[in-house]
Amino acid sequence: MAKIKKQFTVIKGMHDILPEDFKLFAAVKSIIDKFASFYNFSPIETPVLESLELFERSSGQSTEVVQKQMFSLLTKGGDALAVRPEGTPGIVRAYIEHGLSHAPHPLKLYYYGYMFRYEKPQAGRYRQFHQAGFEIFSNEIDPIYDVQAILTSDRILEAIGIKNLTVQINSIGDKNCRPPYLEKLIKYYKSKSKLLCADCKERLKKNPLRLLDCKEDQCQELKLEAPKLLDFLDSNCRNHFRRVLEYLEDLHIPYMLNTSLVRGLDYYTKTVFEITAEGLDASLAGGGRYDYLAELLGGRKTPAVGVAIGIERVIEIIKAHNINLPMPKVKSKIFISQIGEAAKKKALSLIEDLRNEGILVAEALGKDSLRAQMKMADRYGADIGLILGQREVYEETIIVRDLKSGVQETVPLKRLAEELKKRLKTVGR
Ligand code: HAM
């Protein structure tokens, strides 16, 4: 009798990308690669396997990701490893290990690769999926970087052709203002503990902030009456958050305050956000600020903020809406510097206006000293400098300087794009 041959199939939650779909993945990646360089992010790649402890320490011992979703293994040599469920801890490890803190900051890093989570497979939720991640390391805790992380991911999703995007945003405070809030939260939930689902009873003991994340109906109801972290922010965190929202408004990025958004990872401080699209329950991208992570992993104190886009979810939307993918173009060497808060604010939206015209502009908006910014321009190899001060903002002009000859002129802002296009042609880059 002939033996019945075993038919192998793809492992649950994993998926093959066949040639037709591969074209879509490649087109999306090509857009993201171009945007990453357009927004001054340098590519980095870290291994898929890292030490198990790296994720326990950074993503958080008591998070779902670490507790339930990690593919972990013991090597023949006895090392406890995990297949990465997310990119951020590996990037921070590499940042510390390779002394990247000595590179000019802000240091913007971009990665693209497979992540693995042992989740219940369903639409848009896989056990192996791609993320495109963006991390910004800086010397200063400046809300401009939070906005740049949001802006980068939002603009990429928009350029791919996804409509009706919403940025859901919240602030979860920092180590100064979160403890008093947690006390109140625990007190509130203890008084309701009988009504909690089994998982939330555990969360109450191990990680009370996660109570706000629960999707069970009974816990959703309790959440409505729970104390809100926003009411407990100290002046530093409140001010930071206010400026993030102001910058978003200046850039006309629609956002929705979501006071129960806490994210599923433990390293966040201050700003947290997710980007959602109409018709999709889950988020397309998620991120936030994580100012303590480098220190927690043995590095020096390094403010940082980042975001990751889920590629499979992007592909699902592209297919569902029959989106034709556009491709960005353009290359140039322009650097903008600003002096003073009004100029900084103006520069942020001006850069967007120029990008919309297809003109790439590099910047270090988180730096306030002109000297530091000019140094960055030099390192970047810019040949055209744009300088915006209080006076220029007031007069709606900008200084355009040929960085090679030092010759400069003041140009009305409304003629700037035209002037730069002319100059770029003559520079021939
Ligand atoms: P996350 O929110 O866990 O954040 O994941 C980011 C994105 O990855 C989600 O918005 C979603 O699109 C996608 N994603 C997550 N899980 C799955 C899954 N099982 N199947 C398909 N797609 C999924 C992080 O991972 C952080 N490391 C983001 C970050 C970077 N925070 C700071 N820097």
Side-chain angles (χ1 to χ4, degrees):
M1 209 170 70
K3 261 197 196 161
I4 299 171
K5 282 193 194 143
K6 179 180 162 94
Q7 175 110 46
F8 290 101
T9 54
V10 70
I11 291 168
K12 192 173 167 190
M14 314 274 170
H15 58 290
D16 300 313
I17 303 175
L18 302 180
E20 224 14 70
D21 269 2
F22 196 89
K23 285 188 206 152
L24 266 185
F25 275 82
V28 167
K29 180 164 187 300
S30 147
I31 291 177
I32 298 178
D33 284 348
K34 285 189 180 141
F35 262 78
S37 96
F38 207 56
Y39 280 74
N40 307 322
F41 283 85
S42 308
I44 182 168
E45 208 169 289
T46 57
V48 167
L49 278 175
E50 297 272 0
S51 91
L52 174 67
E53 199 189 341
L54 174 72
F55 298 106
E56 287 175 343
R57 265 218 253 165
S58 33
S59 315
Q61 274 279 11
S62 55
T63 55
E64 296 244 312
V65 168
V66 169
Q67 290 244 310
K68 299 187 183 163
Q69 299 174 356
M70 212 130 71
F71 285 91
S72 49
L73 59 108
L74 210 55
T75 65
K76 291 192 173 75
D79 295 325
L81 304 182
V83 193
R84 65 180 178 198
E86 54 146 340
T88 310
I91 300 293
V92 178
R93 178 208 39 78
Y95 175 89
I96 299 167
E97 188 173 339
H98 302 291
L100 295 183
S101 60
H102 300 295
H105 279 49
L107 180 68
K108 299 182 176 180
L109 300 176
Y110 156 55
Y111 54 94
Y112 181 99
Y114 270 128
M115 307 293 152
F116 302 80
R117 294 186 191 177
Y118 192 78
E119 294 208 69
K120 198 167 159 200
Q122 49 189 281
R125 201 170 290 282
Y126 298 96
R127 290 183 175 171
Q128 175 173 344
F129 59 96
H130 293 89
Q131 274 187 354
F134 300 86
E135 314 290 353
I136 305 175
F137 299 92
S138 58
N139 296 324
E140 50 290 290
I141 303 179
D142 194 313
I144 204 106
Y145 299 125
D146 309 37
V147 174
Q148 288 182 340
I150 298 172
L151 178 69
T152 306
S153 44
D154 192 64
R155 289 297 308 270
I156 287 173
L157 295 171
E158 211 177 73
I160 286 169
I162 302 174
K163 301 236 166 6
N164 299 321
L165 296 167
T166 306
V167 177
Q168 310 233 7
I169 191 161
N170 192 20
S171 171
I172 56 167
D174 62 10
K175 61 182 172 198
N176 298 318
C177 54
R178 208 178 308 156
Y181 167 73
L182 288 179
E183 257 177 50
K184 282 272 188 301
L185 190 72
I186 292 167
K187 196 166 164 206
Y188 168 79
Y189 274 108
K190 272 196 174 153
S191 71
K192 316 272 179 200
S193 63
K194 286 204 185 91
L195 306 171
L196 289 171
C197 74
D199 278 347
C200 277
K201 285 190 174 122
E202 277 304 300
R203 289 181 185 125
L204 182 55
K205 283 186 229 146
K206 291 187 181 153
N207 199 340
L209 205 55
R210 291 277 99 69
L211 285 157
L212 300 171
D213 233 3
C214 184
K215 304 284 177 289
E216 295 293 325
D217 287 347
Q218 73 229 61
C219 301
Q220 292 268 17
E221 252 175 60
L222 291 178
K223 191 166 77 179
L224 296 175
E225 299 292 316
K228 309 261 178 293
L229 220 166
L230 275 188
D231 299 330
F232 286 76
L233 295 185
D234 61 17
S235 60
N236 168 29
C237 289
R238 198 171 321 125
N239 195 27
H240 185 98
F241 194 46
R242 182 181 53 76
R243 288 178 64 204
V244 169
L245 300 185
E246 272 175 20
Y247 287 140
L248 287 178
E249 281 158 26
D250 284 345
L251 291 169
H252 306 290
I253 297 180
Y255 66 83
M256 212 177 92
L257 217 55
N258 179 349
T259 54
S260 55
L261 181 71
V262 289
R263 309 267 302 127
L265 303 159
D266 267 1
Y267 47 66
Y268 292 114
T269 54
K270 295 196 168 99
T271 317
V272 288
F273 61 90
E274 287 183 354
I275 303 182
T276 52
E278 207 174 73
L280 187 85
D281 283 346
S283 62
L284 282 173
R289 175 164 283 285
Y290 52 95
D291 295 335
Y292 308 131
L293 184 55
E295 235 177 331
L296 192 72
L297 297 180
R300 60 162 86 143
K301 192 166 181 218
T302 311
V305 56
V307 59
I309 301 174
I311 305 302
E312 276 69 8
R313 293 186 189 172
V314 168
I315 300 284
E316 269 168 32
I317 294 221
I318 291 173
K319 284 184 178 170
H321 297 273
N322 288 320
I323 295 171
N324 283 321
L325 296 176
M327 298 288 183
K329 19 183 182 354
V330 185
K331 217 174 160 211
S332 68
K333 287 277 180 185
I334 302 172
F335 194 98
I336 190 165
S337 310
Q338 46 74 31
I339 319 149
E341 182 58 28
K344 183 175 187 167
K345 216 167 169 183
K346 182 73 196 169
L348 187 63
S349 57
L350 180 63
I351 294 169
E352 279 316 291
D353 293 344
L354 292 174
R355 282 176 179 150
N356 285 336
E357 292 279 336
I359 300 172
L360 163 66
V361 184
E363 46 71 32
L365 292 184
K367 294 195 186 296
D368 290 330
S369 113
L370 183 62
R371 225 170 125 237
Q373 292 178 77
M374 294 313 280
K375 211 164 141 194
M376 288 292 288
D378 191 39
R379 283 190 177 230
Y380 176 67
D383 35 38
I384 301 173
L386 304 177
I387 303 162
L388 201 59
Q390 308 284 25
R391 179 168 164 189
E392 285 72 30
V393 173
Y394 178 70
E395 292 177 353
E396 297 195 278
T397 59
I398 192 160
I399 295 168
V400 180
R401 182 189 290 179
D402 181 323
L403 293 174
K404 299 281 176 294
S405 67
V407 176
Q408 63 180 49
E409 65 172 305
T410 301
V411 174
L413 280 179
K414 52 176 189 292
R415 270 210 318 104
L416 180 64
E418 188 192 311
E419 172 67 22
L420 290 177
K421 282 180 188 167
K422 202 168 80 199
R423 284 179 182 237
L424 288 170
K425 265 191 207 139
T426 58
V427 169
R429 282 165 206 271

